[in-house]
Amino acid sequence: MEKEKEGEERIGVFVCRCGVNIGGVVDCDEVARYAATLPGVVCVSVNKFTCSDSGQADIQEHIHKYNLNRVVVAACTPKTHEPTFRVCCEEAGVNQYLLEFVNIRDQCSWMHIWNHEGATKKAKDLVRMGVYRAKLLEPLEESEVAVDRNALVIGAGVAGMQAAMDLGDMGFHVYLVEKEPSIGGRMARFDKVFPTNDCSICILGPKMVEVARNENIEIMSYAEVVEVEGFVGNFEITIEHKPRYVDIDKCTGCAQCAGKCPVEVPYDFNEGFGIRGAAYVPFPQAVPLRAVIDLENCLRSEGKECKACIKACERGAIDFSQEKKYSKVKAGVIIVAPGFVTYDPEPRNDYGYGLYDNVITTMEFERLLNAAGPTEGHVIRASDCKEPMRLGFINCVGSRDIKTNVHCSGGVCCMFNMKNAILLKEKRPEISCYLFYMDIRAPFRGYEEFYNRAREIGIRFVRGRPSEVIEKANGNLVIRAEDTLKGVVRNIEVDLVVLGTGIVPHSDIEKISKMLKIPRAADGLFMEAHPKLGPVDTVLGGVFVAGGASGPKDIPFAVAQGSGAASRAARLLVTGKTKIEGITAASDESCIGCGLCVDACPYGALTLDEKENRVMVVGAICKGCGTCAATCPVGAMEQRHFKNVQVEAQVKNLFALA
Amino acid sequence: MGAEQFDQTYPKFEPRIVVFCCNWCSYAGADLAGVSRYQYPPGVRIVRVMCSGRVEPVFIFDAFKNGADGVIVAGCHPGECHYVSGNLNAERRVENTRKALEYLGLGAERLRLEWISASEGMKFAEVMREFTEEIKELGPSPVKSRVDVKNPKS
């Protein structure tokens, strides 16, 4: 039942105090009194919280009592609350597009906290703009589209794996795309994980196998998503499969080829420590456990006819004729979990990293500690291969620093560096460890206890950011720092320095953000739809984020987000349908068929009908940006809900001429 | 900036600024400025459109006709447009409109294009303060005085 009557607009204006958020600055009663004088307004109401149950009931009562056919809500921001009031209007029989939302909080009362008079005046102007626009609003219908029941997960770290497993277990087909030759992500490289210090690969390995066994998950390793087209429910994804030069069906992962490969390449999985061949198996627990040949470092790329790996492979799996392949898949939802990288101190030579042999990062130290690492778990230093007896751990390198990255790594780095110090100290209690910190952030369950344990077993915490590290002739290092608790400058000589590097976005985040149009926050990581209430949603329908790519996270947090994103995505997959906004373009008969808009449309949603000499809009493809409407020289193309007359109604009422 | 200092900085002539914000980046940036309480003068009015590419020159002229002293078209940073390339259309259109404004004698400097992302609340407030200052230097829009003459109340 739509209460739409030709030529008669009955507008209700609802002003929200939002507690004191608006009411404390803007004189809401004055705004309401003013609104009542505007043409078409038949009732006004002021509520303490319009979005509350009683506030919404008040709107619906007014709609029925005054037979309203337009609703103007002057409250917070439509970005968060428009959906709430749209539902409220629909329930009371007013088409949701006949709601006009006026922002008098985020863009008025909060902006002008000390200028009550100015803010009230502005609020009145904003309400007037809203009322005049509301008069011209037209009812629209949302269209319903079917949702493809496949899911795409980008990144197979612990968050992506969790998301894929959850969706797979629910019975949905999942394409799990991983850039590296093996799934597992960062967690596969860790030795132990805080605060329980359980062996990382021992708990991750079975999970990786489970992912591979899940019949609904299609792992696409050594592959990258290069193009995404379509919209919620109907994404078309192009995936680039890098050639492994190994027949994945024949290879058994025996690593004979790796043993015979004459080339020596720094072993990336070990953070560049140790070596691997150009033919190699990523790591012993890799999934899929298959060899890969890195052609860039292979002798064949230099034109040499090396056949070492071909001869070594009993199953004849080596295949140098492989080429880059592309495949296309369809998916209804996309979960983005490309993870993070740690800050690289090399370009700036922070604390002599890259200049001094005995300054390493905590990720490198992690591999030294690892029994499967380059030194089989023995910590040695590079300059003389001796075991260091005094270590200095420096926190916040490349985080909380205006010179590099002001953002905090959310406690992950504190815990990470502290854990490595504890692991070493537990192995060799006679080693002395100094940990330089600014503040220790140990926020979750068991973390504070972990910090206490670190102090109990004798790790010496020095509060202060070191100013510099000086190398001595024998390779030892002197850390110079102000101990801010004692108020003295200390010069502490150590044998090895470990830098606790911060969490920063990696290049893939920028690429994915541009491809999918996911906004990024100030720290360069993905921005969620709402920092509190939509932590795994993005502003894009059908696209979700999980893990370290949307802010620094520890493992339980990343796993929880993986599950969270999977369940958010499953809502669409289960119902198999979703609604699409009614804000689309529409052309009328005054179209002259010039085709300017066809070229301007970024989606190819417009086609020129040669016979009729008129442009037609394909509704399902149109995303409703309105660029075509702005391009049209004769005003034949309109953007629904943002028609020229509707926007102009606002513009004409911008300022009270008084 | 404290209340007193704020009042001192923005006395008397209060420029009227209209900002056409795209829904995805700049409008969200304006909201973030609010949530973070980064203050700017209340002469600023925001008109929301889905994309900066929707802003037609006629909207800008209308804004000046209806009392604006300065207009900003704000969109997503290049390469980050929610609608692929709408912001680049906006860029071209604003450039042309600036020429027209210069020709009409209003001055190109009264119209600005800004890229403000959803995370740049601070930038939004800074741009508003800075532009308000700039317009204050230029003085009231010459169009506005004509409108005001027509309206005996002002």
Side-chain angles (χ1 to χ4, degrees), chain A residues 437-512:
Chain A
Y437 70 102
M438 296 202 287
D439 302 283
I440 288 290
R441 286 171 182 179
F444 301 115
R445 179 198 267 174
Y447 288 17
E448 180 66 16
E449 292 77 355
F450 194 73
Y451 174 36
N452 289 339
R453 185 162 137 215
R455 285 185 296 190
E456 275 159 20
I457 64 169
I459 292 163
R460 281 174 243 184
F461 285 81
V462 182
R463 189 178 189 274
R465 184 203 284 274
S467 57
E468 58 179 338
V469 169
I470 303 150
E471 192 186 40
K472 293 177 69 174
N474 60 3
N476 287 358
L477 303 149
V478 177
I479 301 175
R480 206 175 155 77
E482 184 191 350
D483 185 333
T484 54
L485 293 180
K486 285 188 178 156
V488 292
V489 174
R490 296 179 70 177
N491 293 296
I492 298 174
E493 187 173 331
V494 294
D495 304 325
L496 184 69
V497 168
V498 180
L499 306 181
T501 44
I503 288 175
V504 292
H506 62 64
S507 56
D508 285 349
I509 290 195
E510 192 182 343
K511 226 163 68 184
I512 295 171

Side-chain angles (χ1 to χ4, degrees), chain A residues 56-74:
Chain A
Q56 293 191 49
D58 182 57
I59 294 179
Q60 295 186 336
E61 275 165 30
H62 277 81
I63 290 174
H64 296 308
K65 189 172 166 193
Y66 294 95
N67 199 22
L68 300 180
N69 55 20
R70 297 288 189 284
V71 173
V72 174
V73 175

Side-chain angles (χ1 to χ4, degrees), chain A residues 234-300:
Chain A
N234 299 275
F235 293 108
E236 272 192 37
I237 301 119
T238 311
I239 298 163
E240 178 188 301
H241 300 267
K242 290 176 265 187
R244 288 177 94 104
Y245 302 111
V246 170
D247 186 333
I248 204 157
D249 297 325
K250 288 185 187 160
C251 177
T252 58
C254 68
Q256 288 292 328
C257 54
K260 290 287 173 352
C261 182
V263 181
E264 292 184 348
V265 185
Y267 192 7
D268 34 12
F269 184 74
N270 275 341
E271 300 290 318
F273 284 164
I275 48 155
R276 62 162 170 86
Y280 67 106
V281 172
F283 52 97
Q285 299 86 351
V287 171
L289 188 61
R290 298 289 181 265
V292 56
I293 293 169
D294 139 32
L295 197 65
E296 207 177 302
N297 289 303
C298 175
L299 290 178
R300 283 179 169 253

Side-chain angles (χ1 to χ4, degrees), chain A residues 151-287:
Chain A
L152 170 76
V153 178
I154 303 176
V158 70
M161 277 162 52
Q162 185 66 42
M165 258 187 344
D166 284 4
L167 288 174
D169 288 346
M170 290 181 216
F172 301 111
H173 189 81
V174 183
Y175 301 103
L176 179 58
V177 179
E178 168 59 48
K179 184 178 73 163
E180 301 289 330
S182 168
I183 64 170
R186 289 266 132 189
M187 191 181 165
R189 298 187 186 194
F190 297 146
D191 178 39
K192 305 277 190 314
V193 286
F194 58 80
T196 44
N197 284 359
D198 32 6
C199 160
S200 184
I201 195 70
C202 312
I203 53 175
L204 187 72
K207 212 174 172 102
M208 289 160 65
V209 174
E210 227 179 292
V211 169
R213 271 214 208 108
N214 194 314
E215 55 183 16
N216 287 326
I217 301 177
E218 194 174 330
I219 297 176
M220 296 179 170
S221 59
Y222 216 35
E224 275 182 71
V225 173
V226 287
E227 203 184 337
V228 177
E229 283 181 340
F231 48 93
V232 51
N234 299 275
F235 293 108
E236 272 192 37
I237 301 119
T238 311
I239 298 163
E240 178 188 301
H241 300 267
K242 290 176 265 187
R244 288 177 94 104
Y245 302 111
V246 170
D247 186 333
I248 204 157
D249 297 325
K250 288 185 187 160
C251 177
T252 58
C254 68
Q256 288 292 328
C257 54
K260 290 287 173 352
C261 182
V263 181
E264 292 184 348
V265 185
Y267 192 7
D268 34 12
F269 184 74
N270 275 341
E271 300 290 318
F273 284 164
I275 48 155
R276 62 162 170 86
Y280 67 106
V281 172
F283 52 97
Q285 299 86 351
V287 171

Side-chain angles (χ1 to χ4, degrees), chain A residues 311-332:
Chain A
K311 282 181 199 154
C313 183
E314 287 169 8
R315 296 177 60 93
I318 312 288
D319 176 9
F320 278 104
S321 70
Q322 284 186 0
E323 278 178 12
K324 201 187 270 180
K325 273 193 303 199
Y326 293 90
S327 68
K328 270 190 193 274
V329 298
K330 281 189 172 182

Side-chain angles (χ1 to χ4, degrees), chain A residues 591 593 598 606-617:
Chain A
C591 174
V598 178
L606 306 176
T607 49
L608 184 60
D609 186 334
E610 306 257 342
K611 227 192 277 166
E612 301 253 336
N613 199 32
R614 179 178 160 183
V615 171
M616 295 307 199
V617 184

